[in-house]
Amino acid sequence: MSTANLKSRLDTVFAMFIRLRDALPSGAFKCISCGKLLPFEQSDCGHYINRQHMATRFNEKNCNAQCRHCNRFMEGNIQSYRRRLVAKYGEKRVLLLESKQQDYRNYSDFEYKELIKYYQAEIKRLKKEKGL
């Protein structure tokens, strides 16, 4: 599998992990940006710092369940996203995350494969744990 395919596969697996991690026991989720409660199937994996920045692309604190409207049509609704991120993790952690934005990060094929395996196992665990 090519590096591009591994990256794409990790994107898919990681996004499902984030969505499941943030799912409520009811099968709904709360959008990190607007706070709306919506069915799990309507969730996206929203990135606070854009996906183009590889240093934070697969950072679990940078990614949260987000409604499709905020993620796709409001460019992430970033101001609200940041406020709720600070409420969730604290100002210092958000500032640290923001400081990593310009860091250079290049994943090896081995790292992609290991992360894919790790998040596949986490997905399996969360599905069982949450009954989804």
Side-chain angles (χ1 to χ4, degrees):
M1 190 178 282
S2 72
T3 300
N5 287 342
L6 288 169
K7 180 178 170 183
S8 177
R9 179 73 183 127
L10 179 55
D11 275 333
T12 301
V13 172
F14 181 75
M16 179 56 74
F17 163 76
I18 294 296
R19 294 171 58 226
L20 286 166
R21 178 198 71 187
D22 293 353
L24 302 171
S26 65
F29 78 99
K30 186 174 185 178
C31 176
I32 187 73
S33 294
C34 68
K36 287 183 183 172
L37 277 174
L38 295 164
F40 173 79
E41 295 76 24
Q42 294 180 26
S43 64
D44 276 352
C45 173
H47 291 70
Y48 171 60
I49 296 170
N50 191 292
R51 285 174 12 132
Q52 73 186 19
H53 300 281
M54 289 303 293
T56 54
R57 185 178 188 133
F58 302 111
N59 182 307
E60 293 180 19
K61 287 184 175 58
N62 185 51
C63 301
N64 294 272
Q66 192 174 45
C67 75
R68 291 180 180 154
H69 180 74
C70 286
N71 191 35
R72 300 177 189 186
F73 304 109
M74 295 185 69
E75 297 180 7
N77 193 355
I78 293 300
Q79 290 179 343
S80 292
Y81 196 141
R82 189 181 194 286
R83 276 195 302 276
R84 291 176 194 264
L85 210 55
V86 168
K88 187 174 182 178
Y89 296 117
E91 181 74 24
K92 287 182 183 177
R93 291 204 177 175
V94 173
L95 288 171
L96 183 61
L97 181 64
E98 290 168 344
S99 74
K100 293 178 181 182
Q101 182 172 339
Q102 297 306 322
D103 289 355
Y104 177 77
R105 180 69 165 96
N106 190 25
Y107 290 88
S108 68
D109 287 359
F110 174 78
E111 288 173 303
Y112 279 126
K113 289 173 185 173
E114 289 303 306
L115 286 167
I116 290 166
K117 279 193 267 186
Y118 172 77
Y119 285 113
Q120 284 174 329
E122 286 295 290
I123 288 168
K124 186 175 180 179
R125 178 186 66 78
L126 286 169
K127 281 184 175 181
K128 183 177 180 183
E129 189 179 285
K130 296 189 178 198
L132 295 172

